Each structure stands twice: as C-alpha cells, then as structure tokens.
C-alpha cells in the first residue's frame, strides 16, 4: 500500500461536487441536532446555565470544582490515568522514572489559594509544554476537618483538569504520599 496521498486536482473536485449536487446532498445550515420535537424549558437547566455564565463573566477559575470531595487518608496512595494511556507510561510514572520538570508546593495555602495556585501552575506547565510535573500537597489534616483537605481536593481537581493524562503518588525521595507526579498532555506536538 502506497504511503503517498493522492491530492485531487480542480477537475476532480468539481466532478465530486457535481455528483453530490446530483445526488441531492445539501449543505448543513446548522451544527445542532434536530430531535424533531420542541425543546422543553427546564428551569433547573436555566439556573445552571445562568450560574455558568456568571462565573465566566466574573473571571472565576471554572476549571476545577470547589464542591464536596471524597476524603482520602493521609497515607493513601493516589493514582489516576486515562484509560487509553499506555501501561508502560503509567508504570514509569508510578516508579518515578519520568523526570519531573517543574514543581509546586501547596504547604501553607488555604484551600482557595491552593486551587488558584494549582490551576495557574498547570496552565503555565501546559503552555511551556512540560510533560511531567510534581505537586506537593502534603498530608496534614485540616483545622476543622478530620482528613487531609488539600490532598483530597488535589486528588479531585487533577481528575477534572483537561490536560492531565495521569497522576500517581510520588516515590519517597520526592515526597511519597504527600506529593504526586502529574503527567500532562502536550499540545501541538510530541
């Protein structure tokens, strides 16, 4: 099978378009599906839509949730990956064999400050086309909580972030279960 791609000339393109017209194919005027019935007005959807639009206008972070998250234990090993990530890559990340290129320490931040710092860090790392980064979340229990608040939220936030392919708790030399390696998607290239 040839790897050379055939580039049609103007005559072939014109013949193809003519064949489409003769077959009755029409250009789509809208990119929305028509279910064949009128849209019902859902008041809950309208409230959600208004809230989402107001967050966008207010300049809120919007990438990660600030709602309730599942509590994790201080020594709990964190692990997440997209289903199509190769097993070998996951294992290398887990073993600390992918060199991390930048790090963020969230010790001493409030929950909202930690979220803001994490989002800014992930945006910057993606813009700089970093592949693997280290996020130190710590294992300290919250002042009014009986679980490590920042660790639990980082676990949830990273799962929501679009550029995150995987993350695992770090090896002991890099912070153990008080830190995670984060594997990021590289945009526009390798």
């Amino acid at each position: 099978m040839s790897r050379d791609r055939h580039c049609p000339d103007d005559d072939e393109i014109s013949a193809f378009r003519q064949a489409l017209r003769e077959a009755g194919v029409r250009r789509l005027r809208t990119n929305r599906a028509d279910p064949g019935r009128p849209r019902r007005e859902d008041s809950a959807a309208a409230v959600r839509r208004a809230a989402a639009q107001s967050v966008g206008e207010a300049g809120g972070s919007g990438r990660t949730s600030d709602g309730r998250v599942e509590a994790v234990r201080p020594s709990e090993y964190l692990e997440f990956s997209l289903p199509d990530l190769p097993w070998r890559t996951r294992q290398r990340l887990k073993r600390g064999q992918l060199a991390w290129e930048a790090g963020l320490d969230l010790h001493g931040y409030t929950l909202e400050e930690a979220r803001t710092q994490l989002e800014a860090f992930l945006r910057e790392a993606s813009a700089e086309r970093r592949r693997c980064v280290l996020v130190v979340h710590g294992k300290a229990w919250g002042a009014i909580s009986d679980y490590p608040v920042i660790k639990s939220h980082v676990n949830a936030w990273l799962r929501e972030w679009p550029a995150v392919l995987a993350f695992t708790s770090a090896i002991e030399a890099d912070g153990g279960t008080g830190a995670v390696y984060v594997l990021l998607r590289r945009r526009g290239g390798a």
Side-chain angles (χ1 to χ4, degrees):
M1 178 178 214
S2 173
R3 289 187 172 245
D4 294 331
R5 186 173 174 185
H6 172 71
C7 293
D9 60 16
D10 290 339
D11 291 335
E12 289 175 314
I13 293 172
S14 295
F16 178 71
R17 288 184 177 152
Q18 179 64 31
L20 289 175
R21 276 191 298 275
E22 290 171 1
V25 176
R26 295 174 302 155
R27 180 181 294 271
L28 294 175
R29 299 291 176 209
T30 180
N31 67 352
R32 296 190 62 124
D34 180 11
R37 61 186 186 282
R39 289 180 71 182
R40 66 169 199 210
E41 281 303 312
D42 183 2
S43 60
V47 169
R48 286 192 308 271
R49 189 176 309 110
Q53 288 171 344
S54 70
V55 166
E57 292 165 1
S61 58
R63 282 282 191 187
T64 56
S65 69
D66 56 359
R68 247 181 96 80
V69 299
E70 183 179 330
V72 296
R73 293 182 317 279
S75 61
E76 187 171 338
Y77 187 87
L78 301 181
E79 186 172 15
F80 164 82
S81 71
L82 295 179
D84 57 344
L85 188 70
W87 179 85
R88 185 177 187 154
T89 304
R90 280 196 312 265
Q91 291 305 308
R92 290 186 66 215
L93 183 68
K94 200 173 185 178
R95 293 178 184 139
Q97 295 173 338
L98 295 175
W100 51 276
E101 303 164 272
L104 172 68
D105 188 349
L106 296 174
H107 282 103
Y109 287 110
T110 66
L111 187 60
E112 190 53 40
E113 290 170 340
R115 182 170 81 150
T116 303
Q117 289 293 319
L118 180 64
E119 288 181 354
F121 176 70
L122 292 174
R123 263 191 229 94
E124 183 180 315
S126 290
E128 294 174 356
R129 300 190 66 222
R130 304 239 188 249
R131 181 70 169 158
C132 183
V133 296
L134 178 74
V135 175
V136 180
H137 46 67
K139 301 188 268 187
W141 291 29
I144 57 172
S145 305
D146 60 349
Y147 64 95
V149 177
I150 297 215
K151 178 177 182 173
S152 298
H153 278 79
V154 165
N155 182 40
W157 293 337
L158 290 175
R159 292 169 192 268
E160 297 171 354
W161 195 262
V164 172
L165 296 173
F167 64 87
T168 70
S169 289
I171 60 172
E172 285 302 316
D174 288 330
T177 57
V180 287
Y181 299 122
V182 182
L183 185 65
L184 298 172
R185 175 178 285 121
R186 284 188 178 158
R187 298 268 182 223

